[in-house]
Amino acid sequence: MITRTAASSRLGGRRSHPGNHAYIFVAPFLACFVVLFLLPLGYAGYLSLFKDQLVGGTVFVGLDNYLRAVQDPQLLDGLRRVLLFFLIQVPLMLLVALGLALALDSGLLRLPKLIRLSAFIPYAVPSVVATLMWGYLYGPDFGPLTQLGDRLGFTAPDLLGDAWMLASLGNIVTWEFAGYNMIILYAALRTVPSERYEAAAVDGAGPWRIAWHIKIPALRPALLLCLIFSVIGSFQLFAEPNLIQRLAPTVINSSYTPNVYAHSLAFVSQQVNYAAAVSFLLGFVILAVSYAVLFVSSRNRRR
């Protein structure tokens, strides 16, 4: 064997490391990642450094687009709006998902598979369909809530009005993603060793104490994962307000959220360079908030 290896080494030169074969398997992904993600990202960053002028054409302006973006009141209003959306909607959605996951894991519910499937189905519904469906339900003229209010003699709230719009959007997003987060939390609960529950039961702990002292602490990594996903999703809110805008054009303007604003700049106002800068700035904000969430979480874990 040694003689054969030595001979092959002499004939073939350097021997290939077994780990090099791994690059063959990851090469398709790396190629797609570079072509479909890194190159468009780099091109958008390149565009953000220029400005298209009526006189002089496209000129290099460095970071002027970014300086303009951080002082843009429309962008800042949109950021404040999605931050408020994140602070209110995400905790409510995670509480719903956590409650469903704990209820399913307790084994006290009847037809748990049907309940789990029913909670997850909204995630499988495309955002466009879900938004159109809820837009019909919210309708002040034709919606069933308005018709019910007329028959019962009370005035239904205008869910597409300025006062209720953010809550109406939050309800759509909660309906879409609570089941998705519930599946993540439920899967995490199923990994908790049953011996912990048995030991707690022997010590006299009831279902509530087991949930509070064993299940919820065990769910911290999964809750953190759901929270990070929610940070990204909240700051990238686009499909729901963009579609509801057709039903409430006086409430949702072209800068209602940062993503709607970037889309409007690029495809309506034709300010592609400034839209690229706004998009990059939004990416930096998402990175900063995600890092802040991870930093606070890791610091609390060390205590």
Side-chain angles (χ1 to χ4, degrees):
M1 185 67 177
I2 295 175
T3 305
R4 185 183 300 175
T5 303
S8 65
S9 178
R10 285 196 299 274
L11 294 174
R14 290 186 302 175
R15 286 178 297 177
S16 62
H17 193 277
N20 292 338
H21 297 296
Y23 292 108
I24 298 174
F25 293 99
V26 300
F29 166 75
L30 286 177
C32 293
F33 183 74
V34 170
V35 172
L36 300 177
F37 182 75
L38 290 184
L39 285 180
L41 194 65
Y43 184 61
Y46 171 78
L47 287 177
S48 69
L49 303 177
F50 290 84
K51 182 179 181 180
D52 194 12
Q53 300 180 145
L54 188 61
V55 178
T58 304
V59 294
F60 180 78
V61 293
L63 299 177
D64 284 0
N65 286 328
Y66 292 93
L67 295 176
R68 176 188 168 190
V70 296
Q71 300 171 354
D72 189 339
Q74 291 179 291
L75 177 62
L76 297 179
D77 285 344
L79 281 173
R80 279 193 287 268
R81 193 172 288 114
V82 292
L83 180 61
L84 178 64
F85 179 87
F86 166 73
L87 292 176
I88 297 176
Q89 184 269 335
V90 170
L92 291 175
M93 179 182 67
L94 292 183
L95 279 176
V96 171
L98 178 63
L100 279 172
L102 290 173
L104 287 170
D105 188 68
S106 68
L108 300 176
L109 296 179
R110 293 183 178 179
L111 302 175
K113 291 182 180 179
L114 179 61
I115 295 174
R116 193 166 64 236
L117 181 63
S118 302
F120 185 72
I121 278 179
Y123 178 69
V125 177
S127 296
V128 174
V129 177
T131 306
L132 291 176
M133 180 189 73
W134 280 103
Y136 164 73
L137 296 175
Y138 291 157
D141 299 323
F142 46 79
L145 187 60
T146 303
Q147 295 177 12
L148 179 65
D150 292 340
R151 292 194 176 186
L152 297 180
F154 69 89
T155 303
D158 184 8
L159 297 177
L160 295 179
D162 189 34
W164 285 89
M165 182 53 73
L166 210 56
S168 300
L169 292 174
N171 176 60
I172 299 174
V173 176
T174 301
W175 183 81
E176 289 178 300
F177 292 98
Y180 170 76
N181 290 300
M182 179 271 293
I183 290 295
I184 294 176
L185 299 177
Y186 179 71
L189 280 174
R190 304 305 293 174
T191 63
V192 179
S194 60
E195 290 81 4
R196 292 189 185 180
Y197 302 146
E198 294 170 1
V202 169
D203 291 340
W208 289 107
R209 291 188 64 188
I210 290 176
W212 184 255
H213 292 288
I214 296 179
K215 292 185 178 181
I216 293 179
L219 284 177
R220 282 178 184 167
L223 281 170
L224 180 61
L225 178 67
C226 295
L227 186 58
I228 295 297
F229 286 165
S230 300
V231 169
I232 298 170
S234 297
F235 281 89
Q236 291 185 344
L237 190 64
F238 174 74
E240 291 81 5
N242 190 46
L243 288 169
I244 292 291
Q245 188 182 29
R246 275 72 172 175
L247 300 175
T250 58
V251 178
I252 296 183
N253 54 30
S254 61
S255 60
Y256 195 77
T257 68
N259 255 359
V260 171
Y261 187 42
H263 177 270
S264 174
L265 287 171
F267 298 104
V268 178
S269 304
Q270 300 296 319
Q271 300 182 50
V272 178
N273 306 102
Y274 185 52
V278 167
S279 301
F280 260 82
L281 195 62
L282 177 61
F284 292 139
V285 170
I286 293 173
L287 282 176
V289 176
S290 301
Y291 177 78
V293 170
L294 288 172
F295 177 76
V296 172
S297 174
S298 61
R299 193 176 63 176
N300 291 336
R301 197 164 48 240
R302 289 180 194 144
R303 288 179 179 175

